[in-house]
Amino acid sequence: EIVLTQSPTTIAASPGEKVTITCRASSSVSYMYWYQQKPGASPKPWIYDTSKLASGVPNRFSGSGSGTSYSLTINTMETEDAATYYCQQWSSTPHTFGAGTKLELK
Amino acid sequence: QVQLKESGPGLVQPSETLSLTCTVSGFSLTSYSVSWVRQPSGKGPEWMGRMWYDGDTAYNSALKSRLSISRDTSKNQVFLKMNSLQTDDTGTYYCTRDSTVMGFAYWGQGTLVTVSS
C-alpha cells in the first residue's frame, strides 16, 4: 500500500499570502490528485493529473511534482480557500489518501 | 446531471452487518465505475472498493474479508455490505463516480454510520 504523507498538518495564512502544501508518497506514483473539503461537505475534486485544475477551480491554484514528491500551491490566499486539502494516488490499489492539511485563515 | 445518493441505517450494532445503497442518476452503471469511500470524523478518506462498469469488483485488501459490493443496473443502484462492524467503522460513507482521468470525479452527499450499542 502506498502511504501518502502531507505536510504541514495545519497551516494559517493571511489573504494575499502564498501557500504550499506538500504530499510525499512512500513509492513512486504517476500522478497526484487533490481534493478540497469544507466542514459538513463532501470532498470536491480540485486538481487532477498532478497539475490540471478541475472545473471551477480558480487559477490561483496550481499543482506540481513527480515521483514521490508533489505539491499544491495557492498563489494568493483568499478567504474562500480555507478548507482541508487531501492528496490521493490512483497508481495502485488500494487508492490511498493523505491525512489532510487544514488551511485556516489568519 | 450526475448525481449519487447514499442511503442506509444511521446506527448499527457492533458485530452486525452494514447495508448501504448508492442510487445514481445522470449516467449508466454499465459505462462508469462506482467506488465506496469512507471517512472517519476528522480523518482522511479511505477507499473501500469499486464496482467496475463491466460488473467486476475490486476491494481494499484491508476490508476484503468483510466487504461485498454488488449492483442492480435496472434500478441504477450499487450496494455495499460489510459484516462484523466495530466502533472504528464509524464514519461518513460516500459513493463516488470514478474517472481514470479525474480520480473520484463525483461524490454523493455521504451518509453517517455510527456503530454503537
Side-chain angles (χ1 to χ4, degrees):
Chain A
E1 170 175 324
I2 296 178
V3 176
L4 301 181
T5 304
Q6 289 185 233
S7 61
T9 303
T10 306
I11 184 170
S14 301
E17 199 174 331
K18 185 175 183 177
V19 176
T20 298
I21 298 168
T22 64
C23 179
R24 297 197 187 279
S26 59
S27 298
S28 181
V29 299
S30 301
Y31 298 100
M32 192 60 71
Y33 300 78
W34 295 88
Y35 300 83
Q36 181 198 68
Q37 187 176 32
K38 295 191 174 182
S42 307
K44 289 183 180 178
W46 212 246
I47 294 175
Y48 64 99
D49 281 0
T50 300
S51 59
K52 297 174 183 173
L53 303 185
S55 176
V57 174
N59 61 12
R60 61 180 176 273
F61 284 85
S62 63
S64 64
S66 64
T68 61
S69 184
Y70 292 84
S71 64
L72 176 156
T73 298
I74 307 172
N75 206 34
T76 50
M77 172 77 178
E78 296 205 6
T79 305
E80 65 189 35
D81 301 336
T84 300
Y85 294 87
Y86 295 97
C87 58
Q88 179 254 321
Q89 63 83 19
W90 198 265
S91 292
S92 67
T93 56
H95 305 307
T96 47
F97 291 81
T101 293
K102 186 175 184 180
L103 173 58
E104 299 174 330
L105 195 62
K106 193 186 291 182
Chain B
Q1 73 275 30
V2 173
Q3 290 187 317
L4 305 97
K5 187 171 184 180
E6 306 86 351
S7 58
L11 181 65
V12 180
Q13 304 277 333
S15 80
E16 297 284 295
T17 296
L18 172 66
S19 295
L20 297 176
T21 299
C22 173
T23 303
V24 309
S25 60
F27 69 97
S28 171
L29 292 177
T30 58
S31 298
Y32 291 90
S33 302
V34 170
S35 281
W36 286 96
V37 175
R38 68 178 181 176
Q39 184 174 30
S41 180
K43 296 190 176 181
E46 176 186 34
W47 177 74
M48 301 179 72
R50 169 181 293 121
M51 171 59 71
W52 287 97
Y53 60 91
D54 62 1
D56 200 0
T57 52
Y59 297 105
N60 186 327
S61 54
L63 301 170
K64 190 172 184 178
S65 63
R66 300 196 287 142
L67 183 62
S68 175
I69 298 174
S70 60
R71 71 180 182 180
D72 183 337
T73 55
S74 67
K75 294 183 178 179
N76 295 320
Q77 292 179 326
V78 179
F79 308 104
L80 175 149
K81 284 192 191 305
M82 188 163 71
N83 58 31
S84 304
L85 254 62
Q86 300 302 322
T87 54
D88 60 1
D89 292 311
T90 293
T92 300
Y93 286 68
Y94 298 97
C95 56
T96 71
R97 192 186 93 171
D98 297 353
S99 165
T100 53
V101 174
M102 293 195 61
F104 300 109
Y106 295 89
W107 295 64
Q109 65 190 23
T111 187
L112 178 61
V113 173
T114 302
V115 182
S116 174
S117 55

